[in-house]
Amino acid sequence: GVCTDPAADGWEIFGQWEHGAPQGKSGDPDKAYDGTNVLGIALSDDGRYNPNSVSTLRSPTIDVSGWPVVRLQYQRWLGVEDGFFDNATILADDQPVWENFNSDQGEQNSDVHHRDSEWNFHDVDLTAQAADGSLQLTFRLSSDAGLELGGWNLDSLCLVGVQAAEAPACGDGAVDAGEPCDDGNTLPG
């Protein structure tokens, strides 16, 4: 759905996170995926995140009880330096569940930067973190002293709860996984 003001929904915003229309600066999108607004880092000014900084977007605690499978699904446009230097991280209950690639090639050769050039659907399994019935999400970007890019841009963010599939039932008239046939028990055997 359309990106709404995160503060109105109880999200905590620290650092350079902003809610508004993207400006297309420093590799950021020039329009939202859906609607007109996104959640992004440094949407205004030159569009780059600050050096030596940490920006955090944290959700309120979300009740996910009763859902055996929980997934984070959203649209992402991210620009961040190689993880050796700058880190874009998603945390669930303060546990990292996704982070940008760290090529770990040292100061001179770590140059595998993450530069989305379009909106990308991102799906993250949070089932393990949601097992206790609640979940808190955090999007964070931390930077070193040099090479700053556009940072996070988020849109259409959803937590999706998935019910467990029904166990296959022999004799129900439906051919389920592992059944060669199912005649609804109209024929013996």
Side-chain angles (χ1 to χ4, degrees), residues 115-132:
R115 295 180 193 244
D116 288 337
S117 57
E118 63 186 2
W119 285 105
N120 291 281
F121 175 74
H122 194 193
D123 177 59
V124 182
D125 186 0
L126 304 178
T127 301
Q129 293 77 21
D132 66 355

Side-chain angles (χ1 to χ4, degrees), residues 16-141:
Q16 291 184 275
W17 280 97
E18 297 178 50
H19 176 249
Q23 305 294 314
K25 299 176 181 177
S26 297
D28 281 351
D30 60 2
K31 62 181 180 180
Y33 176 79
D34 188 16
T36 56
N37 292 330
V38 300
L39 293 169
I41 291 182
L43 296 176
S44 53
D45 298 325
D46 69 359
R48 292 189 177 118
Y49 52 84
N50 289 333
N52 296 316
S53 66
V54 177
S55 292
T56 304
L57 174 70
R58 180 171 300 148
S59 77
T61 300
I62 302 164
D63 180 3
V64 292
S65 57
W67 299 103
V69 176
V70 176
R71 304 189 75 83
L72 167 64
Q73 297 181 342
Y74 68 102
Q75 294 291 331
R76 176 195 74 205
W77 192 310
L78 173 64
V80 63
E81 187 179 14
D82 188 303
F84 186 82
F85 303 105
D86 294 351
N87 305 109
T89 310
I90 302 172
L91 301 107
D93 294 342
D94 296 322
Q95 298 175 25
V97 292
W98 184 88
E99 55 194 352
N100 63 306
F101 181 70
N102 177 351
S103 68
D104 202 18
Q105 299 299 306
E107 292 283 331
Q108 301 304 314
N109 297 315
S110 294
D111 60 359
V112 183
H113 311 311
H114 186 113
R115 295 180 193 244
D116 288 337
S117 57
E118 63 186 2
W119 285 105
N120 291 281
F121 175 74
H122 194 193
D123 177 59
V124 182
D125 186 0
L126 304 178
T127 301
Q129 293 77 21
D132 66 355
S134 67
L135 195 61
Q136 186 174 48
L137 294 174
T138 304
F139 289 84
R140 183 175 63 206
L141 191 136

